Amino acid sequence: MAILLLTRLQEHPRETYLATSGALVVGRIDCICADPAPAERWSWGMNLDIGALPFRRGGVEGSCAEAAAALNRAWSEWKAWAGLRDAEAPGP
């Protein structure tokens, strides 16, 4: 399991990103209000139904960077909950 890669979805009317790790779609970040700060709002969500219990997290943040950070924290929580850790980089 690696860090999340954010890919912008071009066909959406508002700025939207899919968060993936390898082939696994982990979550999504959406611009829900593009007004200048402090009115700008971004939603983030993670829904992983892997295993017996679904793991769902989500929220609203004031910027895309804050939403990405919150999604990354939830991703780290899920990896710990699932007993997973990031793979070590291969040695020289």
Side-chain angles (χ1 to χ4, degrees):
M1 299 295 187
I3 61 170
L4 296 179
L5 174 66
L6 297 178
T7 304
R8 185 169 180 180
L9 300 178
Q10 299 298 323
E11 68 275 5
H12 285 269
R14 294 194 181 212
E15 201 169 339
T16 299
Y17 297 88
L18 274 186
T20 57
S21 178
L24 180 64
V25 176
V26 173
R28 170 179 175 141
I29 297 174
D30 294 285
C31 180
I32 54 177
C33 182
D35 292 343
E40 179 181 29
R41 292 289 175 256
W42 291 78
S43 69
W44 66 274
M46 184 173 95
N47 182 11
L48 294 173
D49 287 335
I50 300 171
L53 298 171
F55 190 92
R56 296 183 175 105
R57 299 289 185 274
V60 176
E61 303 295 336
S63 71
C64 184
E66 291 170 355
L71 182 57
N72 272 300
R73 283 190 300 275
W75 174 234
S76 293
E77 290 173 12
W78 180 81
K79 290 186 290 185
W81 174 82
L84 301 173
R85 62 184 175 90
D86 293 333
E88 299 287 328

